[in-house]
């Protein structure tokens, strides 16, 4: 059995990559019997280190340059509409934005600002039409800026695939992954990680860990430098120890 919108995963499923057939949409959640949480991911390139965190390779840049887009609406949105067309001038394949997200960034907007995209048409370099999963409840005028993000788990790669220090860690792969393959990436639950610096638990009160730029972990008090940086939270040490260990309760989500 499975919970609504969540796959009941076997241990075998979390240790197997598969290619062309996916039972669930990319980004769907799955859970094993110990409560560990996974997302269905697609690799954008081979991942060789299974015990370091992997990243969402899609970039976000202002304007129309990046893998997502921030651009003006080509036509007004009316209440009840289930699609929008915006001036993304990149060439996009059909369903490029499938299972991604629409954002209305207006500070004065009274309605929901984030909506799920279930389908998008091909874009030849002038505009892209996307379809949302629920009708719009607020109008939006032609020319107003909106944002569209592709699926965050649709282009997963090893750290350093974009630009270290600017990357979002989205899962622990748990096994080597072939480029273009689907796999269940762990986002919450017990996981053993590679360490940079001092092993967690080797000193008193060292429990909380963050990700280093290469996807390994380090203690929160051993950040890259002493400036006010905010490295992404990885999780906390699970076992009581004064020797040092890196078996964490991963908390990417």
């Amino acid at each position: 059995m499975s919970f609504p919108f969540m796959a009941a995963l076997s241990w075998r499923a979390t240790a197997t990559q598969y290619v062309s057939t996916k039972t669930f949409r990319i980004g769907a959640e799955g859970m094993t019997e110990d409560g560990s949480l996974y997302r269905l991911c697609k690799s954008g390139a081979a991942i060789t280190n299974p015990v370091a965190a992997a990243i969402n390779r899609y970039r976000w840049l202002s304007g129309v340059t990046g893998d997502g887009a921030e651009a003006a609406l080509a036509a007004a949105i009316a209440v009840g509409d289930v699609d929008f067309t915006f001036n993304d001038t990149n060439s996009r394949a059909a369903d490029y934005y499938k299972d991604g997200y629409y954002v209305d960034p207006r500070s004065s907007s009274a309605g929901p600002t984030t909506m799920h995209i279930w389908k998008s048409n091909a874009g030849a370099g002038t505009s892209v039409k996307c379809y949302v999963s629920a009708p719009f409840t607020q109008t939006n005028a032609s020319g107003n800026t909106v944002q569209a993000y592709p699926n965050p788990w649709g282009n997963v790669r090893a750290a350093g695939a974009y630009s270290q220090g600017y990357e979002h860690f989205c899962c622990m792969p748990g096994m080597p992954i072939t480029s273009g393959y689907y796999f269940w990436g762990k986002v919450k639950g017990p996981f053993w990680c590679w360490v940079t610096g001092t092993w967690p638990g080797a000193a008193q009160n060292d429990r909380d860990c963050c990700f280093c730029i290469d996807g390994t972990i380090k203690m929160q008090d051993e950040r890259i430098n002493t400036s006010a940086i905010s490295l992404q939270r990885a999780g906390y040490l699970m076992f009581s120890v004064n020797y040092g260990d890196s078996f964490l309760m991963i908390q990417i989500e």
Side-chain angles (χ1 to χ4, degrees):
M1 63 171 290
S2 64
F3 298 103
F5 308 112
M6 182 176 290
L9 299 180
S10 67
W11 295 108
R12 180 187 293 270
T14 65
T16 305
Q17 57 176 346
Y18 55 103
V19 192
S20 58
T21 55
K22 54 181 177 66
T23 307
F24 302 92
R25 72 175 183 86
I26 298 173
E29 290 185 326
M31 182 178 287
T32 49
E33 61 184 359
D34 70 338
S36 294
L37 187 65
Y38 296 79
R39 292 276 190 174
L40 184 63
C41 303
K42 184 177 182 180
S43 64
I47 300 172
T48 59
N49 188 351
V51 289
I55 66 159
N56 168 18
R57 171 59 180 80
Y58 285 131
R59 304 162 299 170
W60 178 256
L61 299 175
S62 296
V64 295
T65 312
D67 297 313
E70 179 180 71
L73 286 170
I77 294 174
V79 172
D81 283 351
V82 292
D83 60 69
F84 68 95
T85 301
F86 74 131
N87 296 326
D88 181 355
T89 58
N90 294 283
S91 295
R92 306 294 194 191
D95 283 340
Y96 176 83
Y97 287 108
K98 180 178 174 60
D99 291 322
Y101 300 93
Y102 159 94
V103 173
D104 173 3
R106 292 179 297 169
S107 61
S108 60
S109 178
T113 58
T114 301
M115 298 183 72
H116 174 257
I117 298 171
W118 72 271
K119 176 183 177 182
S120 64
N121 292 349
T126 55
S127 64
V128 176
K129 185 173 186 177
C130 301
Y131 302 81
V132 292
S133 296
F136 285 100
T137 59
Q138 297 290 325
T139 61
N140 204 347
S142 175
N144 280 351
T145 296
V146 298
Q147 298 166 325
Y149 296 83
N151 188 303
W153 300 276
N155 187 6
V156 177
R157 305 193 188 192
Y162 169 49
S163 180
Q164 289 183 324
Y166 291 91
E167 296 174 337
H168 162 237
F169 296 102
C170 64
C171 74
M172 308 299 297
M175 58 186 149
I177 307 296
T178 305
S179 178
Y181 277 45
Y182 300 97
F183 67 99
W184 290 101
K186 180 172 281 191
V187 295
K188 183 178 180 181
F191 198 90
W192 193 94
C193 310
W194 280 117
V195 175
T196 295
T198 304
W199 285 83
Q204 290 183 349
N205 301 317
D206 269 352
R207 312 292 303 178
D208 205 29
C209 298
C210 55
F211 287 119
C212 202
I213 58 174
D214 60 357
T216 61
I217 62 165
K218 62 168 44 188
M219 297 306 307
Q220 286 280 14
D221 61 357
E222 293 182 1
R223 295 175 299 178
I224 294 173
N225 54 50
T226 57
S227 63
I229 57 174
S230 299
L231 295 181
Q232 185 178 335
R233 175 78 184 280
Y236 58 85
L237 188 62
M238 288 189 66
F239 283 85
S240 302
V241 59
N242 62 1
Y243 174 74
D245 192 23
S246 63
F247 192 59
L248 300 190
M249 173 60 76
I250 289 295
Q251 292 185 321
I252 296 175
E253 295 184 19

